[in-house]
Amino acid sequence: MNYEPTQIFFIVFSGIILMLLMSGFIIVMVLLHRQQQLRNRQKMESLKAEYEKTMLKVEKEIQDQTLSFIGQELHDNLGQILSLTKLTLNSPDEESYSEGKRLINHAIKEVRSLSKRLNLDWVKEVKLQDFISGELQKIEKSGYCKTQFETDEITITLDQDKKLVLIRIIQESLNNIMKHAEPSMIVISLRQEKGTLSVTVKDNGKGFDVADKSKGMGLHNLKSRIETIGGELMLSSIIGIGTEIKLLLPFE
């Protein structure tokens, strides 16, 4: 088959146009892909920065709370033990000497216990169940209200950062209850369900309107924190009935 020169020119020209279009399409796709990669990288860097910021803030809050606790313990507990030791050792008899020695050993034990709380190693060592149980016992011993802890056998082990954030969220939830709710009962449940760790903090206090933005900043802070470690916060509250905060943390 013989082609006329105009036909050959048209075929060649069409081929060039097609190649240019395909090249342009490929270039556009490459540019779009690179832009998407850049956006993904920026998003990952933003998430990483937010995570690090959250961890620093949580660590500082817990350290500040620990220092406040230690100051109170030094004044109320250790100071009392040492004062009693001084009074006991003022008596010359052997029985007082033995009691003074026992009190000094007790004071040394208290100092060692307090020194451990000056860093965050205790977070790594403490079980989440034991921490929650201890916090509820403090509330009940204070006479503020009754408490209840419900838990199943938990087989997972959280890394220190996730446990630290969870501990701080639980503490803040309990603080909010004691500041605002006026309940007669606080219940915390800890469950392990289908690849998810579930922590529910519930009270039978005053409740509040969840749509009221003036009361939402603290809850927004809690939600933001749980999200930085891949979790989710769900809230429900009924005025006159109480409030429930549920924390869900997926794990492998």
Side-chain angles (χ1 to χ4, degrees):
M1 180 182 292
N2 294 323
Y3 291 98
E4 294 182 5
T6 55
Q7 291 178 316
I8 294 173
F9 174 78
F10 178 76
I11 292 170
V12 172
F13 181 75
S14 299
I16 292 170
I17 295 297
L18 184 60
M19 287 179 62
L20 289 173
L21 287 172
M22 290 183 65
S23 299
F25 177 75
I26 291 171
I27 290 170
V28 169
M29 292 301 295
V30 169
L31 290 174
L32 288 174
H33 179 66
R34 286 183 177 177
Q35 287 180 349
Q36 184 63 41
Q37 283 184 319
L38 181 61
R39 284 195 293 268
N40 288 341
R41 192 178 299 116
Q42 289 173 339
K43 186 177 179 181
M44 290 300 295
E45 288 173 355
S46 175
L47 288 172
K48 184 179 178 182
E50 182 66 25
Y51 174 78
E52 290 173 351
K53 181 181 175 183
T54 297
M55 291 310 307
L56 286 172
K57 189 173 181 180
V58 166
E59 286 178 6
K60 184 179 183 304
E61 287 174 349
I62 288 187
Q63 285 172 342
D64 288 347
Q65 187 179 42
T66 299
L67 287 173
S68 176
F69 169 79
I70 287 172
Q72 187 175 347
E73 284 291 297
L74 287 172
H75 181 271
D76 298 342
N77 184 25
L78 195 59
Q80 187 179 11
I81 292 171
L82 292 175
S83 296
L84 187 58
T85 303
K86 182 181 177 181
L87 289 172
T88 303
L89 292 176
N90 281 336
S91 179
D93 61 89
E94 187 175 340
E95 186 178 341
S96 296
Y97 174 77
S98 297
E99 178 62 15
K101 189 175 179 181
R102 186 192 70 79
L103 287 169
I104 289 172
N105 286 331
H106 182 45
I108 292 171
K109 185 178 178 182
E110 288 295 317
V111 169
R112 286 174 177 167
S113 176
L114 289 173
S115 69
K116 287 181 181 179
R117 296 186 66 97
L118 286 172
N119 56 50
L120 295 175
D121 288 344
W122 64 271
V123 175
K124 187 187 301 181
E125 295 169 4
V126 72
K127 290 183 179 180
L128 195 57
Q129 300 96 305
D130 294 339
F131 168 78
I132 294 171
S133 179
E135 291 296 293
L136 292 178
Q137 284 175 18
K138 287 179 191 175
I139 292 172
E140 191 149 341
K141 283 180 181 178
S142 73
Y144 178 79
C145 71
K146 295 289 184 181
T147 66
Q148 185 177 332
F149 182 38
E150 302 169 349
T151 185
D152 297 330
E153 185 67 29
I154 305 297
T155 59
I156 65 166
T157 302
L158 293 175
D159 63 54
Q160 182 171 332
D161 288 349
K162 289 185 177 181
K163 193 192 296 182
L164 189 64
V165 173
L166 266 183
I167 280 174
R168 188 56 190 148
I169 291 174
I170 292 167
Q171 284 180 326
E172 201 160 337
S173 298
L174 291 173
N175 287 338
N176 287 339
I177 290 171
M178 290 187 286
K179 283 180 183 178
H180 308 295
E182 300 179 10
S184 61
M185 173 68 78
I186 297 173
V187 180
I188 295 183
S189 64
L190 179 64
R191 308 281 188 224
Q192 181 179 330
E193 305 166 346
K194 298 179 182 178
T196 301
L197 184 67
S198 168
V199 183
T200 303
V201 183
K202 184 164 56 175
D203 69 77
N204 64 349
K206 295 191 297 184
F208 64 96
D209 181 3
V210 294
D212 187 348
K213 293 183 179 180
S214 65
K215 298 179 180 179
M217 287 304 296
L219 291 168
H220 175 76
N221 183 38
L222 297 183
K223 186 175 181 182
S224 174
R225 288 184 176 186
I226 193 71
E227 286 175 353
T228 61
I229 58 171
E232 180 184 1
L233 182 147
M234 295 185 293
L235 168 73
S236 62
S237 185
I238 302 174
I239 294 174
I241 302 296
T243 301
E244 178 178 300
I245 293 176
K246 189 166 188 176
L247 308 169
L248 299 174
L249 184 63
F251 59 87
E252 296 181 0

